[in-house]
Amino acid sequence: ENVIPYLYDSDYCTQFMNGYAVVGWYNETLSTVERKLINENGAIIPLPSNVSIASDALVNDNLVAIQDISTRLFGYYNLTEKEISIECQFKKCGDFRSGYASVSIDGKLWGHIDRNGRWVVKPKFLANRSYEFIYDRAFIQDHNEQIIINPAGEIIARIPFDATGIVMDNNY
């Protein structure tokens, strides 16, 4: 059964999260992907003209990652307030989860911010990708080790790289 009538000739879309999904398609030169945020009815959510939705962004805490079209830097759009709530200033970013989002200014060192864009932990983790908090814990590959941190950035556990069969769930 179609929940949303066929509206977009989309090359990809994300899962719906908290009532929103990202749809995207390549432009006529196949060099750039245009992305739009839609609600559960398929309506496009308008954004300021100078930003686009970040690739594979998910909506959490009513915030969604955006990218400035000219600077290519990332920030966050508040869907409740209908405004950019955290200016585009990050080279890389993750989605908000449990009130925090991991961000990187230089694309190498990661830290995390709160919903107001204030640093909770300034960039210090040398991670190859963003991390998310689940139940006040985040799993990070930092330098040459895997660690689990709390929101204050304190290391809760170190996990050797040669450990096998690690299952990350609510108990870590």
Side-chain angles (χ1 to χ4, degrees):
E1 170 185 350
N2 285 340
V3 176
I4 297 174
Y6 181 78
L7 299 173
Y8 306 104
D9 184 16
S10 177
D11 293 316
Y12 77 91
C13 68
T14 64
Q15 65 186 357
F16 274 90
M17 182 77 134
N18 298 313
Y20 299 94
V22 176
V23 295
W25 52 92
Y26 292 98
N27 66 9
E28 57 279 347
T29 64
L30 300 176
S31 62
T32 306
V33 175
E34 182 178 0
R35 294 178 293 271
K36 300 289 183 184
L37 185 68
I38 63 170
N39 65 19
E40 290 176 327
N41 298 318
I44 293 175
I45 305 303
L47 296 173
S49 61
N50 64 320
V51 299
S52 68
I53 292 294
S55 170
D56 297 328
L58 297 175
V59 175
N60 282 307
D61 297 339
N62 281 323
L63 294 168
V64 64
I66 55 171
Q67 187 175 32
D68 185 289
I69 293 168
S70 61
T71 67
R72 310 301 293 164
L73 297 175
F74 294 94
Y76 295 90
Y77 184 80
N78 186 313
L79 292 162
T80 303
E81 304 294 327
K82 297 183 171 68
E83 65 184 15
I84 296 174
S85 60
I86 301 172
E87 292 298 322
C88 296
Q89 58 190 302
F90 307 109
K91 189 162 188 173
K92 293 183 178 180
C93 73
D95 295 314
F96 266 87
R97 187 94 183 240
S98 301
Y100 306 103
S102 59
V103 293
S104 176
I105 293 176
D106 64 2
K108 296 175 186 161
L109 292 176
W110 290 79
H112 51 275
I113 58 174
D114 65 15
R115 291 179 42 79
N116 296 310
R118 290 187 296 255
W119 287 105
V120 177
V121 173
K122 292 188 178 182
K124 68 177 186 177
F125 300 111
L126 184 61
N128 58 357
R129 63 181 182 85
S130 65
Y131 54 90
E132 294 180 347
F133 280 91
I134 302 172
Y135 299 104
D136 284 337
R137 301 288 185 262
F139 177 79
I140 306 172
Q141 288 188 306
D142 180 42
H143 293 86
N144 292 323
E145 64 181 342
Q146 301 172 99
I147 60 173
I148 297 172
I149 65 166
N150 66 15
E154 300 165 330
I155 297 174
I156 303 298
R158 295 177 191 278
I159 304 166
F161 268 120
D162 61 350
T164 59
I166 297 172
V167 176
M168 299 307 296
D169 62 19
N170 300 345
N171 298 316
Y172 67 82

